[in-house]
Amino acid sequence: MGKVTLRNLSLSIGPERVLDDLNLTVEQGELLVLLGPSGCGKSTLLQAIAGLTGISGGQVLIDGRDMAGVDPGRRGIGMVFQSYALYPQMSVRGNLRFALKNAGLPRAEIAARVDRVAAMLQLDGVMARKPSALSGGQRQRVAIGRALVRDAGLLLLDEPLSNLDARLRNDLRAEIRRLHDATGRTMIHVTHDQVEALGLADRIAVMQGGRIVQVDTPERIYRQPDTLFVAQFIGAPGINLVPGQVLRDDDGWAVATDLGRIGLDGPPRAPGQVQLGLRPEHFVTDTQPRPGAIRAQVDRVEPLGADTYLHVTAAAQRLVVRALSGRDIPAPGATVYLSPDPAQALLFDAQTGRRM
Amino acid sequence: MIIVEHPESHAGRGWRLGRVVVHVTLAVVCLFYLLPLYVMVVTALKPMAEIRAGHLLALPAAPTLAPWAAAWSTACTGLSCDGLAPGFWNSVRILVPSVLLSVAIASLNGYVLAFWRMRGSQVLFAVLIFGAFIPYQVLLYPMVMLLRGLGIYGDLTGLVLVHVLLGLPILTLLFRNFFAGLPPDLIHAARIDGAGFWGVFLRVLMPLSAPVCAVALMLQVTGIWNDFLFGIVFARPETYPMTVQLNNIVNATQGVRLYNVDMAATLLTGLVPLMVYVVAGRLFLRGLLSGAVRG
């Protein structure tokens, strides 16, 4: 139950292609996160899967069945909205049982299902309250409960955490993962928050301008982004990009950049202009000169708890690097020496933006 | 009730003077509006002898309800002497179906126009708005022909039809705008939860519509009850609404002019819209204050 297949899915509003020839399979029981910036079409895609918006071309299949012309209420889905969208005039209990009443289930079964979901989400104490008397976290739990109570095989979550404060967001993120593992439902979770995506997903589908640009595990999305866009969108602080030219000299393959010669582990697929991508943790940072290290000046120190990041300038290039923990943190104005790890470096074709 | 406390920092001299001017102005305006009402009420409670004595503002020396009883059941229109009562019941028979039908149809119209985009819905909406601004005089003659064609000219049914039709544009606009202001996700959630066209309307939207229904009720009840034009054009003497009946009583020019009966009749006629303001006005306020839709 809950397998979703998109075939050449397109959606145009006027002349604008909001969804452009999407192909995607979400396996049964998988938690897939749709990740992308505002306006990339990820929420629209979710609505298209739910049947809340029409599509211009292609197919949405749920469990192998074409959903064309099938009502949202008959697609076997539950959905959670960013704005909660609870029925304000109904109590929590009324909200939870609305779908079951519409489905015409017997009274006893409705009560049993509602109680089970309420227990699962710790809503027992607030069942008689109206949504306006609940906190933000409780409201979102009711919204999740309303989606769960139908025993639908597929759960669609449209930025369910973005209206909550940071702490609550972390709690509910863990809860969503726990519910997923406990119930085994297929979930499609939309977010623009890459931390949320990396922490939650089995697989992430990164969207850009109405297209899916990469579908992969969080690990691979982070370490092996297919395109410059994905590399830049994932990671905080963001990846450092340095323009350069691939060359071969006596010491092997390398990239010539403003920072100097940066050696490569193996031969690149093609020579030419490239963007060299180095994440903040791909540098070894030292306060003493080392052979081959890049000299840089610290502009700003950004302590983020577990890690401290240094904003530095090296040969007119601005970079963000991670300071090694357990060592003295350099002060602004200090000189540091950076040694990039060539094994970690990502090479992108400067023309196409694709990884080489 | 919301009580707004004035911050202390504003309590300067100029500010206090300003308040005095505002309050005095308000008091004068109140007096201006209340004085005629006062005169009506005391006159309606006086016997004719007292009125002829000429003290317009004096309180009644011997208060009596006889003029009210006369206005209700025995005042003459020149044709008959049944008082306002037949007109009252005609008005009720016109009002109740007109209000219920127009609010029911307009809320449904508003729902469809707000959420179910169909071909031509924008055009339809534009036409409806235009309909709200057509002067009634233009419609009178065509309406007479239409009702005659339908064979209900002079019937209460005809009058109800006219009121429903002419109330629809503004009420539809009212409901559409209210529904369009609700979060679309609410309707999305209801559709996912398996509610159909009627389920969304009756079980999700209408329970949220108390404030807008109160506004619609106030508009329609006062508008239809106070209507004189359609009553006199589309009704017969047996089907005259209360306003027309009142006019006929007050303007009947035989014998002595009974000011106290006229005043009592006028007050009786105005009682229904007044009550609507009191009752629905509260509902309206409560709806506004508790209508936290986001939540």
Side-chain angles (χ1 to χ4, degrees):
Chain A
M1 285 274 288
K3 177 175 170 165
V4 180
T5 311
L6 308 179
R7 281 195 197 136
N8 307 105
L9 182 66
S10 299
L11 171 58
S12 302
I13 297 176
E16 192 192 352
R17 272 177 105 69
V18 183
L19 299 176
D20 195 359
D21 197 26
L22 299 185
N23 287 286
L24 177 69
T25 300
V26 185
E27 296 299 337
Q28 182 177 328
E30 185 178 22
L31 202 170
L32 181 106
V33 170
L34 285 174
L35 177 66
S38 306
C40 70
K42 56 195 190 298
S43 285
T44 309
L45 173 56
L46 209 62
Q47 296 207 343
I49 295 171
L52 294 172
T53 180
I55 57 177
S56 321
Q59 282 181 310
V60 174
L61 295 97
I62 298 179
D63 294 324
R65 207 156 64 90
D66 187 357
M67 286 290 125
V70 179
D71 251 19
R74 298 181 178 276
R75 293 191 174 201
I77 54 176
M79 190 158 175
V80 180
F81 298 89
Q82 178 181 359
S83 61
Y84 319 129
L86 301 178
Y87 311 120
Q89 76 275 21
M90 299 181 200
S91 65
V92 170
R93 182 178 296 283
N95 267 280
L96 290 178
R97 73 180 168 204
F98 184 67
L100 303 180
K101 279 175 115 178
N102 284 333
L105 292 185
R107 224 169 233 281
E109 166 146 23
I110 292 179
R113 281 216 217 167
V114 167
D115 288 344
R116 200 179 66 220
V117 165
M120 199 190 293
L121 291 161
Q122 290 127 47
L123 290 168
D124 312 78
V126 298
M127 293 299 275
R129 287 205 208 153
K130 293 275 170 66
S132 53
L134 300 178
S135 69
Q138 285 171 327
R139 286 179 201 179
Q140 197 50 285
R141 284 221 291 276
V142 176
I144 292 170
R146 194 172 57 178
L148 281 175
V149 79
R150 318 184 55 209
D151 278 341
L154 173 63
L155 234 58
L156 307 174
L157 302 107
D158 189 2
E159 308 217 21
L161 307 179
S162 50
N163 276 359
L164 302 171
D165 63 55
R167 210 183 104 75
L168 216 49
R169 194 152 58 214
N170 281 336
D171 290 352
L172 264 165
R173 190 169 81 204
E175 185 144 343
I176 287 176
R177 185 69 220 190
R178 184 176 65 76
L179 286 170
H180 172 263
D181 296 343
T183 61
R185 318 262 174 102
T186 311
M187 290 190 183
I188 303 180
H189 180 114
V190 163
T191 183
H192 60 264
D193 180 346
Q194 44 118 357
V195 177
E196 192 175 309
L198 292 171
L200 196 58
D202 292 327
R203 280 192 309 159
I204 297 174
V206 183
M207 288 187 71
Q208 177 195 12
R211 293 170 162 273
I212 293 175
V213 288
Q214 186 173 1
V215 187
D216 244 321
T217 60
E219 172 83 10
R220 287 174 59 89
I221 290 273
Y222 186 78
R223 297 203 185 285
Q224 288 157 299
D226 281 348
T227 68
L228 259 178
F229 172 81
V230 176
Q232 284 177 292
F233 194 72
I234 304 283
I239 195 166
N240 299 295
L241 292 174
V242 182
Q245 170 82 42
V246 172
L247 57 85
R248 176 159 203 181
D249 56 21
D250 295 344
D251 295 329
W253 288 95
V255 182
T257 71
D258 289 351
L259 301 178
R261 177 189 183 280
I262 294 174
L264 296 176
D265 262 9
R269 256 176 267 168
Q273 293 293 322
V274 294
Q275 291 274 356
L276 182 70
L278 287 162
R279 295 207 180 271
E281 65 272 23
H282 294 164
F283 292 91
V284 174
T285 312
D286 228 317
T287 49
Q288 300 303 318
R290 284 160 49 127
I294 303 157
R295 195 182 136 97
Q297 185 167 17
V298 178
D299 299 326
R300 199 158 67 79
V301 178
E302 188 180 23
L304 290 180
D307 291 312
T308 298
Y309 292 90
L310 307 177
H311 295 245
V312 304
T313 309
Q317 278 273 337
R318 286 170 175 279
L319 302 173
V320 180
V321 300
R322 189 171 69 180
L324 280 184
S325 53
R327 297 207 190 173
D328 288 341
I329 304 294
T335 301
V336 290
Y337 298 88
L338 312 174
S339 314
D341 178 356
Q344 306 267 27
L346 300 166
L347 275 188
F348 298 95
D349 187 313
Q351 245 85 60
T352 63
R354 300 204 64 83
R355 190 161 60 86
M356 296 157 70
Chain B
M1 282 298 284
I2 294 174
I3 295 154
V4 181
E5 300 222 11
H6 299 293
E8 291 296 317
S9 60
H10 281 235
R13 223 153 192 273
W15 184 78
R16 226 177 297 168
L17 185 70
R19 302 295 301 179
V20 169
V21 171
V22 167
H23 280 134
V24 167
T25 311
L26 285 176
V28 169
V29 171
C30 270
L31 260 182
F32 181 78
Y33 278 104
L34 285 176
L35 197 63
L37 182 65
Y38 167 79
V39 171
M40 284 182 77
V41 173
V42 293
T43 307
L45 291 168
K46 288 174 186 172
M48 274 311 286
E50 245 181 85
I51 294 170
R52 279 192 214 98
H55 303 293
L56 193 64
L57 293 175
L59 284 167
T64 172
L65 288 177
W68 299 74
W72 180 254
S73 53
T74 61
C76 295
T77 61
L79 292 171
S80 60
C81 288
D82 299 325
L84 279 173
F88 174 81
W89 292 114
N90 281 337
S91 276
V92 170
R93 277 194 288 265
I94 295 164
L95 182 77
V96 173
S98 302
V99 170
L100 293 182
L101 277 175
S102 57
V103 171
I105 298 173
S107 56
L108 193 58
N109 277 351
Y111 164 59
V112 171
L113 285 173
F115 294 121
W116 301 83
R117 287 286 142 79
M118 52 191 177
R119 210 204 310 229
S121 64
Q122 293 297 321
V123 176
L124 193 65
F125 187 55
V127 170
L128 265 173
I129 293 177
F130 181 67
F133 296 105
I134 295 179
Y136 289 156
Q137 290 81 342
V138 175
L139 300 172
L140 282 180
Y141 189 56
M143 274 290 190
V144 170
M145 303 220 302
L146 177 71
L147 293 187
R148 204 170 47 201
L150 292 171
I152 48 176
Y153 178 61
D155 284 359
L156 289 180
T157 321
L159 210 44
V160 168
L161 183 70
V162 171
H163 282 303
V164 170
L165 287 180
L166 295 181
L168 278 182
I170 190 75
L171 291 190
T172 299
L173 194 66
L174 195 70
F175 276 98
R176 194 212 80 109
N177 287 350
F178 176 77
F179 290 141
L182 293 174
D185 278 353
L186 202 62
I187 286 78
H188 290 162
R191 291 186 63 200
I192 298 265
D193 276 349
F197 178 87
W198 291 105
V200 172
F201 179 58
L202 295 175
R203 300 193 43 210
V204 176
L205 293 181
M206 282 322 272
L208 294 175
S209 304
V212 71
C213 282
V215 175
L217 275 179
M218 270 159 64
L219 271 179
Q220 284 299 83
V221 171
T222 54
I224 294 173
W225 192 270
N226 289 338
D227 161 66
F228 181 80
L229 181 64
F230 297 143
I232 204 162
V233 173
F234 297 113
R236 296 185 299 262
E238 318 86 79
T239 53
Y240 277 156
M242 200 173 187
T243 46
V244 177
Q245 195 79 349
L246 171 69
N247 171 70
N248 293 349
I249 288 172
V250 172
N251 287 340
T253 51
Q254 35 177 249
V256 193
R257 188 169 278 267
L258 300 170
Y259 290 107
N260 50 0
V261 174
D262 291 351
M263 295 296 181
T266 309
L267 285 169
L268 282 173
T269 309
L271 225 49
V272 167
L274 197 67
M275 267 160 41
V276 166
Y277 276 120
V278 172
V279 175
R282 280 200 177 169
L283 185 73
F284 179 57
L285 257 186
R286 205 170 50 197
L288 278 189
L289 294 177
S290 69
V293 166
R294 241 201 112 105

